[in-house]
Amino acid sequence: MTHETGVNPDLDQDGPGWDLHCHTVFSDGTMTPAQMVALAGKRGLAGLAITDHDTNAGWEMAAQAAEGAGMPLLLGTEITAEDRNVSVHMLAYLYDSEDKVITRLFERTRRARLTRTRTMVDRISRDYPITWTDVLDQVKEGGRTTVGRPHIADALVGAGVYRDRSEAFAGVCSSSSPYYLPTPSPTTHQVLKAVKHAGGVVVIAHPGAAKRNPVLLSDEQIGNLVREGLDGLEVRHRDNPPEERERLLALAERWDLLVTGGSDWHGDGKPNELGENRTSAPVVERIVRRAYGSRPVGYPSE
Ligand code: AMP
Ligand code: ZN
Ligand code: FE
Ligand code: FE
């Protein structure tokens, strides 16, 4: 899936496309919203979305940068959830950021992430030369940043244990390491209900990411979410292998779901290149039309 210029060669669309899955310093990305917008311009993207984990704290900065650069932007969040035994990430776009239920949901998850990450660090620090302070030093926007394993990874890199984040994720930060703890999360059903109530559009992130998840959402589980208002599936993502993409495309066809693509860009934190997977303009149009919680920034038809 990777390509020198970061352009996905199998992009099934005409235009330059949108990258609808991007992380900044407001979660575990390494770059600011302004740097993200500038890079999107360089890559020739038609537009992009900011989708930090369990927060919308970066929306304002991203909107300002996008407006200044004339780069269309969807406001979004990648929400941590679970569905029975499966860990699920849900991309929520253009919901009302003032919504009380969503605000409380994010507060809960972020608090749970902090406790969980700290407990992991307590365990790791018995065997490796890092402290909780070292981890907090990696957090770029203080209390506004959603904390997680990548910040532990960065502290381990800082201490010279690993060369980069990916190496740390193959070791101590792996979900199969003895130090791993899951993040207590809301259910997919709770997330869908909250985002729909707040006028947003919901797309399941990397639903076929077999390496990240020992168990994937079944057709039946996805079908249940469709009945509750699920809008789409992120099919074009580097972690979805070809056979999973086929399954997901068939489900999308069966239930008339939106098919999106995104890079899951984390700046220098991951090899993923901004724009390496994209979403077509007509699909973005459907997202924008469907949403009523907030408006895109600098959207062409406005
Ligand atoms: P957590 O949410 O705290 O369990 O941390 C998992 C997150 O780390 C995922 O959302 C990944 O996108 C992110 N991550 C950042 N860099 C890497 C990396 N190099 N390898 C694997 N995951 C990474
Ligand atoms: Zn991440
Ligand atoms: Fe994710
Ligand atoms: Fe992500």
Side-chain angles (χ1 to χ4, degrees):
M1 274 302 102
T2 45
H3 188 273
E4 257 177 20
T5 59
V7 177
N8 182 355
D10 75 1
L11 184 66
D12 56 348
Q13 59 170 57
D14 315 323
W18 291 59
D19 189 340
L20 294 190
H21 190 159
C22 309
H23 298 270
T24 73
V25 290
F26 285 92
S27 62
D28 51 5
T30 62
M31 296 199 195
T32 64
Q35 289 171 314
M36 171 184 77
V37 167
L39 189 56
K42 260 196 236 157
R43 290 278 153 89
L45 295 186
L48 79 168
I50 178 170
T51 57
D52 279 307
H53 297 281
D54 306 305
T55 187
N56 48 46
W59 281 17
E60 210 178 299
M61 240 186 236
Q64 263 174 24
E67 222 162 78
M71 172 60 66
L73 173 81
L74 299 193
L75 302 163
T77 300
E78 185 176 21
I79 307 179
T80 313
E82 58 198 14
D83 195 300
R84 287 183 242 158
N85 48 346
V86 188
S87 146
V88 181
H89 286 180
M90 306 177 94
L91 294 162
Y93 300 108
L94 301 177
Y95 61 86
D96 174 9
S97 61
E98 309 269 292
D99 183 88
K100 294 275 186 302
V101 177
I102 295 207
T103 304
R104 255 179 273 133
L105 190 141
F106 287 173
E107 276 167 8
R108 260 200 308 274
T109 303
R110 289 154 55 80
R111 213 176 313 125
R113 275 176 161 283
L114 211 55
T115 310
R116 163 269 196 168
T117 308
R118 187 167 186 161
T119 310
M120 278 185 69
V121 172
D122 286 345
R123 294 181 181 184
I124 293 167
S125 61
R126 288 181 209 142
D127 301 327
Y128 293 89
I130 58 160
T131 64
W132 179 236
T133 309
D134 297 333
V135 174
L136 290 182
D137 283 347
Q138 310 301 324
V139 172
K140 301 217 170 63
E141 290 290 328
R144 296 203 293 166
T145 291
T146 303
V147 173
R149 277 185 284 161
H151 302 101
I152 305 179
D154 290 350
L156 288 162
V157 172
V161 178
Y162 296 112
R163 266 176 313 201
D164 57 26
R165 256 192 206 182
S166 297
E167 212 178 81
F169 265 87
V172 167
C173 291
S174 148
S175 54
S176 54
S177 106
Y179 307 103
Y180 178 75
L181 288 173
T183 298
S185 318
T187 68
T188 50
H189 312 286
Q190 289 170 320
V191 170
L192 249 181
K193 196 170 167 199
V195 177
K196 289 275 121 185
H197 175 79
V201 168
V202 180
V203 173
I204 300 178
H206 44 72
K211 280 216 190 93
R212 184 183 192 273
N213 244 324
V215 196
L216 296 175
L217 286 176
S218 66
D219 294 2
E220 186 213 342
Q221 281 172 301
I222 295 175
N224 289 337
L225 296 173
V226 171
R227 273 190 290 281
E228 292 166 26
L230 178 71
D231 295 281
L233 300 173
E234 186 188 46
V235 176
R236 288 191 296 279
H237 183 288
R238 66 156 67 199
D239 295 350
N240 294 332
E243 64 278 11
E244 272 302 319
R245 292 185 194 210
E246 264 174 49
R247 172 177 83 106
L248 297 169
L249 283 175
L251 295 180
E253 180 121 349
R254 191 192 315 168
W255 292 316
D256 191 27
L257 296 170
L258 304 176
V259 170
T260 72
S263 64
D264 211 349
W265 178 72
H266 283 71
D268 299 328
K270 257 185 164 181
N272 307 31
E273 295 269 7
L274 189 71
E276 70 174 25
N277 278 296
R278 304 187 186 189
T279 303
S280 70
V283 169
V284 173
E285 177 80 27
R286 286 176 73 186
I287 293 175
V288 171
R289 278 177 192 279
R290 223 175 262 195
Y292 58 89
S294 58
R295 300 309 302 158
V297 179
Y299 191 68
S301 72
E302 280 192 317

